[in-house]
Each structure stands twice: as C-alpha cells, then as structure tokens.
Amino acid sequence: MTEFELIERLCAELPTNPSTVVGAGDDCAVLDLGLPGRWLLFKTDAVVAGVHFQPDTDPARVGRKALARCLSDIAAMAGCPTHALVTLALPDQFDVAWADGVYAGLSRLAEQHGVAIVGGETTSSRERALVSVTVLGSVERARCPLRSAARPGDAIFVTGELGGSLASGKHLDFEPRLEEARWLASQVSLHAMIDVSDGLAGDLRHILKASGVGAEILADAIPLSQAARAVAGVRASNSSVGGAHPPALVAALTEGEDFELLFTIPAGEAVRLLDAWKQRFPDLRLGCIGKITAARGLTLRERDRAQPLTLDGYVHFQKP
Amino acid sequence: MTEFELIERLCAELPTNPSTVVGAGDDCAVLDLGLPGRWLLFKTDAVVAGVHFQPDTDPARVGRKALARCLSDIAAMAGCPTHALVTLALPDQFDVAWADGVYAGLSRLAEQHGVAIVGGETTSSRERALVSVTVLGSVERARCPLRSAARPGDAIFVTGELGGSLASGKHLDFEPRLEEARWLASQVSLHAMIDVSDGLAGDLRHILKASGVGAEILADAIPLSQAARAVAGVRASNSSVGGAHPPALVAALTEGEDFELLFTIPAGEAVRLLDAWKQRFPDLRLGCIGKITAARGLTLRERDRAQPLTLDGYVHFQKP
C-alpha cells in the first residue's frame, strides 16, 4: 500500500458538515464560515528529521521549509495566508539553539508574507525531531481554483523549472508562489491548480483524477532545471529508472519538491497570459507544457511518438 | 529548562498581524477575520506513542484523545468547533489496521460534535507514531473568556473531579466540556477560563500569571476523584512527593489530564450559578474552590493554616 492509497483509505468516509466546501483531497480544505465574499483555506503539513531534512541542516532552513510547504498549498488555491500554528516535537537530546533556529526561520518567512504565528506547542518525540505547521488563509469565493476544475481543451502551464530540487537545496529555500498565484487568479480564468510537490507526473495525475479528464504533455516543453540536467549526467550511466526517457526529464517528472504552480486555463487565454506574465514576472519562467483531453490517461509526446506516461511522482513510503 | 520555559522562549517574539486578537499563550488563538459577530478559534495539539499513550492502547481511543484534547481547548474559550485537520506520523513498522483505528476514534468523536475532518496527512516518523490534530472553531465576540480576565474577588470554580486520570483511563475517554462551557458563557459573567490539562495548580497559575493576580484555594473544597483516592493509598507509604499534603490532594493538584473546566466569575453570581448548574447538569459536579486575590501568589488553605502552594503542574519534559 502506497502513501496515497493509505490516505485515500483513511479519508474515504470522514465526517463532514455543511460549512465544508472542499474537504480532504485538494491542496487546502476550503471552508465557508460566513465570511462575506471569501472562503477560508486550512492546511497542515509536517517535516521529519532524516525524511524531509537532514539532522545537520541549518535549523532556520528547516523552519522555513516547514512553513513554506503550507504557504505553497495556500498559493495553489490562489489564497492569502494569515495565521499559522507550529508543533515542534523534539528528541530527548535536543539543542535549545536548534529549536531557536527553527523558530527564527519560520518567523522570518511568516513576516515576509504578513502571517502571524499564533501558537507554539512543543512535545517530546524521543528519537527524532518533527515540525508540523498548520496555516489558515482566505480566498475570494469566485477565484478559488480547485483540482477538480480542469476541462478538456485547457492549456496546461507550469511556473519555474523542475527537477533536482533535493540536490540543489531548492527544497529548503524555494519561494512559495503566492503573489504569482493571486495575480493569475486576477488575470485569467484559472481552472485547476496544484503545487508541484510530488513531481509533475504525480501532481498532474491528481488534477486529472479529480477532474475526470486526461492530458497530453510535450517532453520538449517541460522546463528542466540546471540541477536536473546536472544530476542527469551522473545518473545516465548507472540507472535504469525511466527506461527510454532522458534522465533529466525523469527528474523533472518525478522528483518533486519543486513547489512550482501547475495549472490549467482555457486555451484561448494562453497567448495573452504568456505576454502579460513576461511583463509582470520577467525573472520567472512560465511554460505551456500540454493540454487537457477528454480521453482519460496521461500521454507523453516525445520526439515523433506519443505514449502513455507510466512514471509516477515521488512516494514518501510504500507499505509492503 | 522546562517545557513551559522553552515555549515561552520560543514564543517571545513571534510575528503578529492586526487580525490576531490573542496569539500564543491562551487555550486557543483568537482571530478576527471579519466574521460578523464572531471570532475564530485555532488550536493544535499532538499525542506521541510512549509519551501520551502506550503502544498497546486501543487505537480508537488514541484517535479520540488526540481530537478530544483540542476540543477541550475550544471548550475553554466557550467556543464551537467546526473543522479539524489530522497529521498521522507513522513508524516504519505500522499496521494499517492501527491507522484505521485511530481514524475511527477521531471520526466518531468529530461526528458527535458536528466537526468535519477536512484533511488527513500521513508521513513517516521512523520509530514511533504521533497524531497531531488542529481544530478550527468560533465563538461569540462578547462571550470569549480569556486567561487574562480574572479579577480580584472572583470566585474560582472547577467542574468534575480531579486526579488519577492516567490511572483510571479518563485521559483517553474524557468528555470535552463543550456544552457546559457554552452554557456557562450564556448564564454568567465568565471572566477567565482554562481547561485542566497540566494539573489544577499549574493551570490556575497560568490564569494568575496572565491576569496579574493571586488566588487562595481551599484544600477541602478541591474535588478529589475516586481514582485519586485509590492511587493515594498506594502512594502514601512510599512517596515523599507533596510533603505534608495528603497524597490524593497532591494528585488532584498536579497530575493533570483531567480536562475539566477551571474558571472565575464575579463572587456575586456564585450562588445563582450553583443552583442553575444543578438543574442543568445534575450528573456533573461543580465546585467553588476559592477566590482570586489582588495579592500575587497562590495560597492553599488547609485545615487551620494557609501557606504558599509550591506544588506545580505536570511538566512534559525538563531540559537539563
């Protein structure tokens, strides 16, 4: 059983209520608490020592990452984060300076985005540290892109460049695309949006599944990061992962932790978006990588052939 | 450095913003997001295997406890819980049935209180399980009792009976006092309120510190649970904890995990409250245990002497 199968199983019959617009299964939960014109966004995420960061990683970068992951999920809903709660689970042998560092990194990023940290719990976790962050935010009701809203014919876009995030350290220092996401929501008819945390292939599949559609993506259009190209050189000689695909493309499709925005809009708005984007965000790449199809399945068009893409995104654990 | 000193240190300079009414330091954070007539309540809490529950504890009771602790904090603000997020950190060797059980316990309690579970994250924690729950709720603006609102002359009340919660299993099966708290807020001028999670002595001190006041409590008025009396018999012979105090009283003052309501109201409303309470909640004890004083410090009046109470509440860990 994979992580995703376990989540699906656990979330199959969760209790709900009338103020829940979207429960488990999107980047954030979407709640209608009677706030005039707006929905609330609600998201939690945890990072664990030895799993999401190394014991010798600068604690300020650990704290920053813990919050940035949640902010990236708020971005994927085109929302505005407002408040955060932090739980710090500490091993028996911990350094107070390490805890200070985590909070320093958290606080700095929170301040940049006007987010108040309104609670800090600590607990003992005996062997290894865990930092869990929950973020609350809000979004205009009319402008909240859901995973389920992709439609056949939509153009598929992705910001930035993909792959090699773990190798390059981007997974610790990435900028949550909050400003870009809200700008997108104000400029185009955003249909579906998600942040690329598990890898392009896996995250696009989340959109396709929720929307009941398929997609065709173009291998040559997928923006490969320098880090993906660099690790690809090393890998090409000794890895069979990805079969016939070039290793840098496999990295971009599967490694995850990119925290870029993946979204769909009506194809008719694509050219106007690309022009406006270049004016507004000249330093951040935006690429059209394919289209949504009525036929289910995910197809990769590579050189002169199109074939089903079987690669999957990053899976955090697999239960035998 | 104790747990509370560490939290105080970490929360000393957290970023805030204008929509934060109360940040870290009360049972819940209180937020003003523009909801007409209401504030939002926001709280997170975690339970860890081997710390807050045993590996062989029924997983449904573990899940129930994880949520009930947060609901008890919402109760301490006289609030109404609406939504919860769950993070399940699982060891390498975990049983899918165990995770199912945790969710079953969580879901059952959530349903009882109309709470929607709107997200379920899972992550690997390698050695031991951790269940972290975040709850969102709301409260009438005019009726939110804060820890900082106790005033000299207030009468101090506590619901239920204290002590022996870990021995009796109450810490797994307690009922969050949500209904009682909202009824109290509608009936009397609630000043300060807190839930008794760290022990009466420690939690009353949280109120005294936040309100800048002192208190005198009466040893004979403190409601001792049967479990506290039972364990006291065992302890009396071989323990020096508490010095001259009877062991059952020490248990009630320090053991914690009672999850009862501790609150203060103007003394003039005390008799009316006791009468009305008996009508409304005939099966749940409510006791007046003392009064708030202008002079700082916590005094215990026992038989014919009054002396400073030096016993403290439960401390989850102590950093040498």
Side-chain angles (χ1 to χ4, degrees):
Chain A
M1 182 176 292
T2 68
E3 178 194 10
F4 297 114
E5 287 162 349
L6 178 63
I7 295 180
E8 201 164 311
R9 177 187 171 116
L10 295 176
C11 294
E13 288 180 39
L14 293 180
T16 188
N17 63 24
S19 53
T20 303
V21 180
V22 177
D26 214 306
D27 290 78
C28 298
V30 183
L31 315 177
D32 183 359
L33 289 189
L35 203 62
R38 297 184 78 81
W39 281 330
L40 287 185
L41 302 173
F42 193 28
K43 176 66 183 191
T44 193
D45 198 60
V47 293
V48 179
V51 179
H52 302 89
F53 62 90
Q54 294 312 309
D56 62 352
T57 306
D58 172 7
R61 295 172 88 193
V62 172
R64 188 188 186 284
K65 175 175 182 171
L67 176 60
R69 284 164 63 104
C70 283
L71 297 188
S72 184
D73 283 312
I74 299 279
M77 314 302 282
C80 184
T82 56
H83 300 85
L85 293 171
V86 180
T87 296
L88 197 54
L90 292 163
D92 291 340
Q93 305 301 325
F94 77 92
D95 200 344
V96 173
W98 189 85
D100 284 342
V102 169
Y103 265 73
L106 270 162
S107 295
R108 207 146 46 217
L109 184 66
E111 259 169 23
Q112 278 173 32
H113 293 283
V115 173
I117 299 182
V118 294
E121 305 285 315
T122 58
T123 186
S124 162
S125 55
R126 307 303 305 276
E127 293 85 8
R128 63 181 64 231
L130 173 149
V131 188
S132 173
V133 175
T134 305
V135 170
L136 195 63
S138 70
V139 62
E140 266 187 70
R141 282 171 195 238
R143 289 182 173 166
C144 180
L146 303 179
R147 289 187 187 178
S148 57
R151 296 179 210 165
D154 278 1
I156 306 170
F157 284 86
V158 69
T159 63
E161 296 173 340
L162 306 178
S165 176
L166 291 169
S168 69
K170 179 184 178 185
H171 73 110
L172 293 166
D173 303 317
F174 67 92
E175 289 297 335
R177 302 296 186 200
L178 285 159
E179 194 187 344
E180 293 85 352
R182 290 195 295 266
W183 180 87
L184 283 169
S186 74
Q187 295 291 317
V188 290
S189 312
L190 264 184
H191 284 172
M193 189 148 75
I194 192 171
D195 75 321
V196 183
S197 53
D198 299 319
L200 179 64
D203 288 314
L204 181 53
R205 279 209 186 80
H206 293 317
I207 288 181
L208 303 184
K209 188 173 178 191
S211 299
V213 295
E216 183 176 302
I217 56 175
L218 307 168
D220 289 343
I222 292 166
L224 309 179
S225 72
Q226 267 205 314
R229 290 177 205 273
V231 294
V234 179
R235 250 192 226 164
S237 53
N238 61 8
S239 165
S240 64
V241 175
H245 306 300
L249 178 63
V250 173
L253 287 169
T254 65
E255 284 188 351
E257 301 257 330
D258 297 301
F259 301 106
E260 296 293 348
L261 296 171
L262 174 67
F263 60 93
T264 82
I265 64 169
E269 300 186 27
V271 173
R272 180 169 63 77
L273 169 61
L274 285 166
D275 287 343
W277 180 275
K278 265 182 219 152
Q279 298 283 325
R280 182 67 186 75
F281 302 106
D283 299 326
L284 182 63
R285 192 161 158 178
L286 176 69
C288 180
I289 61 166
K291 65 178 182 200
I292 298 293
T293 59
R296 304 289 180 98
L298 176 53
T299 303
L300 180 69
R301 184 169 288 278
E302 210 170 356
R303 285 166 238 129
D304 51 355
R305 58 188 180 152
Q307 57 182 348
L309 180 62
T310 52
L311 289 172
D312 225 323
Y314 179 77
V315 175
H316 294 90
F317 60 80
Q318 184 119 10
K319 178 82 185 158
Chain B
M1 181 177 292
T2 68
E3 178 194 10
F4 296 114
E5 287 163 347
L6 178 64
I7 294 179
E8 202 164 310
R9 176 187 171 116
L10 295 176
C11 294
E13 290 181 37
L14 294 179
T16 187
N17 63 24
S19 54
T20 303
V21 180
V22 178
D26 214 306
D27 290 79
C28 299
V30 183
L31 315 178
D32 182 359
L33 289 188
L35 204 61
R38 296 185 80 80
W39 282 330
L40 288 185
L41 303 172
F42 192 29
K43 176 68 183 189
T44 193
D45 198 60
V47 294
V48 179
V51 180
H52 302 89
F53 61 90
Q54 296 312 310
D56 62 351
T57 305
D58 172 6
R61 295 172 88 194
V62 172
R64 188 188 186 285
K65 175 175 183 172
L67 176 61
R69 286 165 61 104
C70 283
L71 297 187
S72 183
D73 283 311
I74 299 278
M77 314 302 282
C80 183
T82 55
H83 300 86
L85 293 172
V86 180
T87 296
L88 198 53
L90 293 163
D92 291 341
Q93 305 300 324
F94 76 92
D95 200 344
V96 173
W98 189 86
D100 284 343
V102 169
Y103 264 73
L106 270 162
S107 296
R108 206 144 49 214
L109 184 65
E111 259 169 22
Q112 277 173 34
H113 293 283
V115 174
I117 299 182
V118 293
E121 303 286 315
T122 59
T123 186
S124 162
S125 55
R126 308 302 306 276
E127 293 85 9
R128 63 182 63 231
L130 174 151
V131 187
S132 174
V133 175
T134 304
V135 170
L136 196 64
S138 69
V139 61
E140 266 188 70
R141 283 172 194 237
R143 290 183 172 166
C144 180
L146 302 180
R147 290 186 186 178
S148 58
R151 297 181 211 165
D154 278 2
I156 306 171
F157 284 86
V158 69
T159 63
E161 297 171 341
L162 307 178
S165 176
L166 291 168
S168 69
K170 180 185 177 184
H171 73 109
L172 293 166
D173 302 318
F174 67 93
E175 288 297 336
R177 302 296 187 200
L178 286 159
E179 194 185 345
E180 293 84 352
R182 290 194 296 265
W183 180 86
L184 283 169
S186 73
Q187 295 291 316
V188 290
S189 312
L190 263 185
H191 284 173
M193 189 149 74
I194 192 171
D195 74 323
V196 184
S197 53
D198 299 320
L200 179 62
D203 288 314
L204 182 51
R205 279 209 187 80
H206 291 319
I207 286 181
L208 303 184
K209 187 173 179 191
S211 299
V213 295
E216 182 176 302
I217 55 175
L218 306 168
D220 289 345
I222 292 167
L224 309 178
S225 70
Q226 268 205 313
R229 291 177 204 274
V231 293
V234 179
R235 252 192 225 165
S237 53
N238 60 9
S239 167
S240 65
V241 174
H245 306 300
L249 179 63
V250 174
L253 287 170
T254 65
E255 284 188 352
E257 302 257 330
D258 297 301
F259 301 105
E260 296 292 348
L261 295 172
L262 174 67
F263 60 93
T264 83
I265 65 169
E269 300 184 26
V271 174
R272 179 170 63 78
L273 170 60
L274 286 166
D275 287 344
W277 180 275
K278 267 183 215 148
Q279 298 283 324
R280 182 67 185 76
F281 302 106
D283 299 326
L284 182 64
R285 194 162 157 179
L286 177 69
C288 180
I289 61 166
K291 65 179 181 200
I292 298 292
T293 59
R296 304 289 180 99
L298 176 52
T299 303
L300 181 69
R301 186 170 287 278
E302 208 170 356
R303 289 164 235 128
D304 52 356
R305 57 183 180 157
Q307 57 181 347
L309 179 61
T310 52
L311 289 172
D312 225 321
Y314 179 77
V315 175
H316 294 91
F317 60 80
Q318 184 121 10
K319 177 81 185 159

